[in-house]
Amino acid sequence: MGWFSFFSSGSSSSSSSSSSSTNSQKTSSDGGRVAPDRSSREQCYHARDVFFECLDRGDIMDAIKHDGEARRKCAREVVEFETACSKAWAKYFKERRVMEYNRDKTIERIKNEDDARTAELKKAQKQRG
């Protein structure tokens, strides 16, 4: 394919259009990727939510680290998620799920430590006064 592929014969343009139609990513006339529209994003978000619900039922937090187990327990949901979302989005959502879980656990631990420290200080104040 050359610089001016749109001037080439129909056989090469039909092969490029058929290959782009099989890809879930849309491409613009200059060959760049087109950002997903609202309905595509909504389909992706819905597929993500269904996939994550399945992971929760299967007690799988990290779908990247435990990919084989996730694909075994949530085969249909994985296919729908990876079809509806780009690879980059799917990877991002999987990583974000783990990051948010770790963040929430850290916040919970800090709150528990703070509550314990507050209780110790109150107890020490009662003993002094």
Side-chain angles (χ1 to χ4, degrees):
M1 187 190 284
W3 283 96
F4 300 104
S5 62
F6 54 90
F7 288 118
S8 63
S9 68
S11 63
S12 67
S13 65
S14 66
S15 66
S16 69
S17 66
S18 66
S19 66
S20 65
S21 66
T22 58
N23 189 355
S24 64
Q25 294 259 326
K26 296 179 184 173
T27 56
S28 66
S29 61
D30 67 354
R33 291 188 177 147
V34 175
D37 61 4
R38 179 178 290 191
S39 65
S40 296
R41 290 190 307 268
E42 287 174 358
Q43 289 172 351
C44 175
Y45 298 152
H46 177 71
R48 173 201 61 192
D49 295 343
V50 170
F51 175 55
F52 286 177
E53 287 171 5
C54 181
L55 292 178
D56 290 341
R57 285 191 306 273
D59 198 29
I60 302 168
M61 176 48 55
D62 191 341
I64 295 173
K65 187 184 289 185
H66 304 288
D67 185 57
E69 184 179 2
R71 289 183 184 281
R72 189 172 59 253
K73 290 185 177 180
C74 303
R76 182 179 56 82
E77 292 85 351
V78 168
V79 170
E80 289 176 13
F81 176 56
E82 291 178 348
T83 301
C85 302
S86 70
K87 284 184 180 182
W89 281 34
K91 182 177 183 267
Y92 167 77
F93 287 137
K94 290 175 185 180
E95 290 172 347
R96 181 177 170 188
R97 173 182 163 88
V98 174
M99 181 277 303
E100 288 178 347
Y101 174 80
N102 289 333
R103 179 201 62 202
D104 293 345
K105 288 296 181 183
T106 300
I107 290 170
E108 181 181 338
R109 180 182 50 82
I110 290 170
K111 283 182 180 179
N112 290 339
E113 290 172 359
D114 186 47
D115 291 345
R117 181 70 179 145
T118 302
E120 287 176 17
L121 292 173
K122 285 182 181 181
K123 185 177 177 182
Q125 277 183 338
K126 282 185 180 180
Q127 289 177 350
R128 281 189 251 149

